[in-house]
Amino acid sequence: MALPVAEWQGRTARLWAALDPVLRERLAAASLHDAVRLGCELLREPREEAALARLCRRVCTDKEPEAAGWYREQGNREFGRCRYQAALRLYSKGSHTLWQPEVSVCFANRSAALFHLGHYEVCLEDIARAESHGYPDRLLPKVLLRKAECLLCLGRLQDAQDALGVLERKIAVDGLVASPTHQTLLKKLNQLKVKLREKEKCPEPAREAHGGIQGKSEIWEENDTISGASSSLSLSFDAERGRHLVASRDIVPGQSLLREEAFVSVLCPGESLRLPLQDGGTAWDTGATNADLYCHRCLRQLLAWVPCQGCSYAKYCSQDCAEVAWQQYHRTECPLGALLLTLGIFCHVALRTVLLAGFAEVSRMVGWSHSGDEDLQNPEARCKRPSEAPDVGAGAAGIPGCDSRGQYQSSYQALFHLLPHTEQHSPEHKFLCMLSVVVLCKQLQAAGLGAAVFDQESPQQGSKPKACEKTSDELSPELKTVAEAMLRHVLQLQCNAQAITVMQELGPGDGAVVNKKPVRLATAFFPVLSLLNHSCCPNTSVSFSGTAATVRASQPIPSGQEVLHCYEDTLCCSNEACAASASRESLSCRLQDVQQQIKKALDLLRVGKADQAIKMLLKCQMDAGSFLSPEHLLMGEMEDHLAQVYATLGKWQEAARHLKKSIEIVEMHHGPSSVETGHELFKLAQILFNGFAVSEALSTIQRAEGILSVHFGPQNAQIRELQEMKACLSELPRNILQRT
């Protein structure tokens, strides 16, 4: 969640209400600098920090060796049932709970699951990890056998022979008798040599691209003044809209306008709970959340993660990612994992932002802000005086955030100039943010992490920081500077945070129709992307690949028109003629009840009870129809779910009927050319394809392909699947095409 846990929010709310009214007024009107100072005074008593520490104990990010045995046992059970994907997940979960060398066994076990799943390269990586982490010598022969067989499967004969040579020498030194498995492996090697010689004599012809469509490389002309932006954009400023981007020439749909790497991003962890066993013991979570599925640094999807050596939370796609993360920020975050998860994503993003920027740059920007606090809230005033502090203020173009050359970079300077809109936040919210930031900085000091924050040292992975000699009653001047910058960033995130989303499959993904939905993967700062103002009717679409954002035009944008982006995802009644009224709390409760019932219906579908799922979804429709308009997005979601259930039963016509209703609602909210409509049309194309409605399927494929190519480019996986379906349908005999 973006904000701290509910218990900490409630505690700070009670503390705010108990403050003297005069102090509340001072805090409400205080600058960020003064708010931090007052927060330090309020937290001199240890009661609030002690309460927060109790909340943190509910989240465990330490290594838990006792959990590893449980995960390994569960993994072995799934492996014995040939459920290799489940075994892979369990072995991975065991790997992040152990210190080395015990973790080597988890890596070796995981390599076995990877081998059976056909992931030979990753299997070799896990074998190398097992060996480097001190895998027991007595168990090494079976791992060497697996290594040789992987190399055989990959066609790397010389490497396979070398691996077998190592195994043979080890058997000889240890006095072991060559096993039948070893003999079988040698036989496989000889067979593979024969096959490879045959392939060399008769090489296979190169495959043609299916569908006959090759993606064209897009012509890209970089903007001279805005990093990562197209030359079709220009940076403008006025008092009403602030900084914003304008089309400097006519822009066509699908044209790329911006490519930017996030300055900072933090993975949204998802929920992970311990479940009680029937015998009263503790079972560790066996499910998979975002924290298990994606690299905590680059956000790539994980197959076999590399765990942090110091905590059980951070996971990475490679050793390189783990080491870069450690050097840049995780050496500071690692001992504070439970606290960061308790305080929420916004505090975590704020801390990582200052760590990536470096203390020297943070101190420079905070120092500059003290020369004109009012100007930070009044960009028009800043724009009139660009000569003041040109290296950190307005650039040659007179626009805040530009450097002295008038260039707007994806930099900490640009990020710092994003407005925190302190005047728009409630005093209670600012108080919550201020206390959360101050207590986090006090924990940094108490844990002896100040040196890492100030770029003074870089401890080894897994090493414990030295205890701090300074008491935690008073923050050091340097950490007060850090706290002020972090408070600014937490407030900025309310309006400038960008959700990095990814399309995730809902359910097992083994049905005829793949049901995907965009989900929030991470929260990030994109300094250049933040120049796009919000609109409920945007003319752009944003897609993500890892931590990189690409903005494309979703409709024609004439020269001189502002380029707009939709940041919000809101639910509202679209029936303006409706005169009924109800409290927000009442509607929210009823909405949550319906959503819970929908979840139960989908659970029934997952266990094969489709008929019961249909009955429950139809009842949900009736209940929701009593207080929601027919055009509400939730009504469309229920039509989508009904289509999913009927598709599971093979009732394609009924599935198509419900999905068309969903598409009507999606088009009403997001527009006929929106990415949301494109995803729905993709699902409709799958249903029509499976239902053998050839003519309608072809027209739907054409429309879906046109929309998705605008938003994602021609290399998108969904577009390739649409092209494959079109090619398959086009190859049908003419008499069948005429009948359908």
Side-chain angles (χ1 to χ4, degrees):
M1 58 190 300
L3 297 177
V5 296
E7 293 87 345
W8 179 245
Q9 292 187 50
R11 191 171 185 89
T12 58
R14 291 190 293 273
L15 182 59
W16 170 262
L19 292 178
D20 183 270
V22 175
L23 181 54
R24 283 207 300 267
E25 289 182 11
R26 286 178 60 197
L27 283 166
S31 65
L32 300 181
H33 175 76
D34 291 339
V36 169
R37 180 178 56 82
L38 291 169
C40 290
E41 293 177 3
L42 284 170
L43 287 175
R44 287 185 183 278
E45 293 294 327
R47 286 177 298 180
E48 305 307 323
E49 290 180 80
L52 184 59
R54 289 193 294 273
L55 293 174
C56 291
R57 283 196 286 270
R58 302 189 311 185
V59 182
C60 182
T61 59
D62 294 331
K63 297 291 186 183
E64 297 181 285
E66 66 275 14
W70 187 85
Y71 280 125
R72 189 164 55 244
E73 180 183 335
Q74 298 299 315
N76 291 341
R77 183 178 301 174
E78 295 299 317
F79 190 92
R81 297 170 178 169
C82 299
R83 297 175 181 173
Y84 301 119
Q85 195 66 49
L88 173 65
R89 184 177 70 249
L90 290 161
Y91 289 144
S92 290
K93 282 183 171 288
S95 71
H96 71 236
T97 63
L98 281 171
W99 302 94
Q100 60 183 51
E102 291 88 348
V103 70
S104 65
V105 179
C106 283
F107 287 142
N109 288 349
R110 191 170 70 179
S111 74
L114 288 164
F115 177 81
H116 283 280
L117 291 168
H119 299 299
Y120 303 122
E121 292 284 5
V122 187
C123 177
L124 289 172
E125 292 174 7
D126 256 4
I127 290 172
R129 291 185 188 113
E131 291 181 284
S132 66
H133 284 76
Y135 190 65
D137 187 71
R138 60 183 176 81
L139 301 175
L140 203 54
K142 65 178 182 180
V143 172
L144 291 174
L145 282 170
R146 190 175 303 135
K147 179 178 181 179
E149 194 160 4
C150 269
L151 293 167
L152 284 171
C153 293
L154 292 169
R156 294 163 56 181
L157 290 183
Q158 186 58 53
D159 292 337
Q161 286 178 325
D162 293 343
L164 284 174
V166 172
L167 176 59
E168 287 170 339
R169 287 191 293 273
K170 178 163 184 58
I171 290 174
V173 170
D174 294 348
L176 301 175
V177 178
S179 67
T181 304
H182 182 206
Q183 296 297 328
T184 301
L185 200 57
L186 288 172
K187 184 178 179 181
K188 286 182 179 179
L189 175 59
N190 293 325
Q191 291 173 344
L192 190 56
K193 285 180 180 179
V194 174
K195 289 180 181 179
L196 287 176
R197 280 197 296 268
E198 291 175 353
K199 288 183 179 180
E200 288 173 357
K201 293 178 182 179
C202 302
E204 293 182 358
R207 292 184 179 181
E208 296 182 3
H210 200 49
I213 297 178
Q214 290 288 341
K216 298 179 180 179
S217 59
E218 186 178 1
I219 298 175
W220 175 264
E221 187 178 346
E222 187 83 16
N223 197 293
D224 291 334
T225 58
I226 312 166
S227 68
S230 162
S231 58
S232 301
L233 302 178
S234 61
L235 178 59
S236 298
F237 175 87
D238 60 44
E240 180 183 354
R241 292 176 292 180
R243 292 162 293 183
H244 58 281
L245 296 178
V246 174
S248 57
R249 61 176 74 126
D250 291 345
I251 296 171
V252 298
Q255 183 176 335
S256 292
L257 303 178
L258 175 64
R259 299 166 181 169
E260 183 182 16
E261 279 283 341
F263 182 87
V264 59
S265 63
V266 172
L267 186 73
C268 300
E271 296 182 2
S272 182
L273 302 174
R274 290 184 177 183
L275 305 174
L277 291 172
Q278 291 182 352
D279 59 5
T282 301
W284 283 266
D285 175 37
T286 59
T289 67
N290 282 349
D292 304 313
L293 297 174
Y294 297 92
C295 176
H296 287 220
R297 176 178 173 266
C298 69
L299 303 183
R300 290 176 185 164
Q301 195 157 7
L302 294 174
L303 178 61
W305 65 63
V306 176
C308 170
Q309 293 181 20
C311 69
S312 64
Y313 179 66
K315 309 170 187 74
Y316 304 98
C317 63
S318 65
Q319 191 61 39
D320 287 343
C321 256
E323 291 174 0
V324 171
W326 183 264
Q327 292 298 326
Q328 290 184 340
Y329 53 81
H330 193 61
R331 59 187 164 123
T332 303
E333 297 177 357
C334 186
L336 302 174
L339 178 62
L340 291 170
L341 289 170
T342 301
L343 290 178
I345 291 293
F346 280 7
C347 277
H348 198 163
V349 173
L351 174 62
R352 189 171 293 181
T353 299
V354 299
L355 293 173
L356 287 169
F359 180 72
E361 182 69 0
V362 171
S363 179
R364 186 172 74 100
M365 294 305 302
V366 170
W368 170 79
S369 71
H370 292 168
S371 65
D373 279 344
E374 292 183 2
D375 283 355
L376 281 172
Q377 306 307 322
N378 186 355
E380 185 178 13
R382 280 205 313 281
C383 191
K384 290 178 180 177
R385 296 185 285 135
S387 60
E388 295 188 12
D391 289 339
V392 293
I399 297 178
C402 292
D403 59 23
S404 58
R405 298 169 297 172
Q407 294 183 330
Y408 194 95
Q409 304 289 330
S410 184
S411 63
Y412 183 69
Q413 177 175 311
L415 189 157
F416 192 88
H417 278 83
L418 298 175
L419 296 181
H421 295 291
T422 54
E423 72 285 352
Q424 296 181 17
H425 298 289
S426 69
E428 295 88 346
H429 177 75
K430 287 188 286 188
F431 183 70
L432 167 66
C433 296
M434 177 270 292
L435 277 190
S436 300
V437 164
V438 170
V439 77
L440 176 53
C441 287
K442 292 189 75 173
Q443 287 300 308
L444 283 169
Q445 182 166 279
L449 295 167
V453 176
F454 310 143
D455 310 318
Q456 294 173 4
E457 64 178 30
S458 178
Q460 296 295 314
Q461 271 203 63
S463 62
K464 298 294 183 182
K466 297 177 182 178
C468 184
E469 295 179 1
K470 187 176 181 66
T471 65
S472 60
D473 291 340
E474 180 64 29
L475 278 182
S476 67
E478 294 85 0
L479 278 173
K480 284 182 179 178
T481 298
V482 170
E484 183 177 340
M486 286 176 58
L487 178 56
R488 178 179 182 83
H489 299 326
V490 170
L491 296 174
Q492 285 173 325
L493 282 163
Q494 296 291 330
C495 295
N496 294 287
Q498 176 65 53
I500 295 179
T501 58
V502 64
M503 295 297 296
Q504 278 187 356
E505 290 185 9
L506 304 179
D510 53 1
V513 178
V514 178
N515 189 19
K516 291 187 175 183
K517 184 178 182 180
V519 298
R520 179 186 288 263
L521 179 59
T523 298
F525 266 133
F526 290 90
V528 180
L529 177 57
S530 293
L531 292 172
L532 273 63
N533 283 327
H534 167 75
S535 172
C536 291
C537 300
N539 50 21
T540 63
S541 176
V542 181
S543 60
F544 300 94
S545 176
T547 58
T550 299
V551 179
R552 291 183 174 88
S554 59
Q555 61 190 55
I557 306 175
S559 178
Q561 186 177 98
E562 184 177 0
V563 180
L564 300 165
H565 169 47
C566 181
Y567 288 89
E568 301 174 8
D569 182 17
T570 57
L571 294 174
C572 57
C573 179
S574 57
N575 187 355
E576 297 179 357
C578 180
S581 62
S583 70
R584 182 180 183 87
E585 292 76 11
S586 174
L587 287 175
S588 178
C589 288
R590 295 177 71 181
L591 195 64
Q592 288 178 7
D593 288 342
V594 172
Q595 290 169 331
Q596 285 295 320
Q597 292 302 309
I598 293 173
K599 184 178 181 299
K600 290 179 180 179
L602 297 178
D603 289 339
L604 288 171
L605 176 61
R606 274 188 283 271
V607 297
K609 299 180 180 180
D611 292 336
Q612 295 182 37
I614 290 173
K615 291 179 182 179
M616 185 167 286
L617 285 170
L618 291 173
K619 183 177 185 303
C620 289
Q621 275 189 322
M622 291 184 59
D623 294 343
S626 65
F627 68 97
L628 295 178
S629 73
E631 298 83 15
H632 196 285
L633 276 172
L634 188 62
M635 303 297 284
E637 286 183 23
M638 285 185 280
E639 295 288 359
D640 189 292
H641 294 319
L642 282 166
Q644 180 186 356
V645 181
Y646 282 114
T648 302
L649 295 172
K651 297 182 178 181
W652 306 112
Q653 289 186 349
E654 193 68 15
R657 184 175 68 84
H658 283 285
L659 194 54
K660 288 174 184 177
K661 290 182 181 179
S662 171
I663 291 173
E664 289 177 4
I665 296 173
V666 169
E667 286 182 329
M668 188 179 301
H669 283 268
H670 300 290
S673 300
S674 66
V675 64
E676 292 83 3
T677 299
H679 289 312
E680 290 297 295
L681 287 169
F682 174 78
K683 288 188 281 188
L684 180 60
Q686 290 180 309
I687 287 174
L688 295 170
F689 177 87
N690 284 286
F692 213 56
V694 179
S695 178
E696 192 177 0
L698 286 170
S699 62
T700 303
I701 288 170
Q702 183 177 357
R703 187 182 169 201
E705 187 178 349
I707 294 174
L708 292 174
S709 62
V710 166
H711 293 281
F712 298 111
Q715 299 303 315
N716 179 261
Q718 287 182 313
I719 292 175
R720 290 199 297 270
E721 186 171 341
L722 288 167
Q723 292 170 346
E724 290 172 0
M725 287 192 286
K726 181 168 62 177
C728 181
L729 293 173
S730 300
E731 292 170 0
L732 292 173
R734 186 178 298 275
N735 60 337
I736 295 179
L737 291 173
Q738 291 173 347
R739 293 202 309 265
T740 56

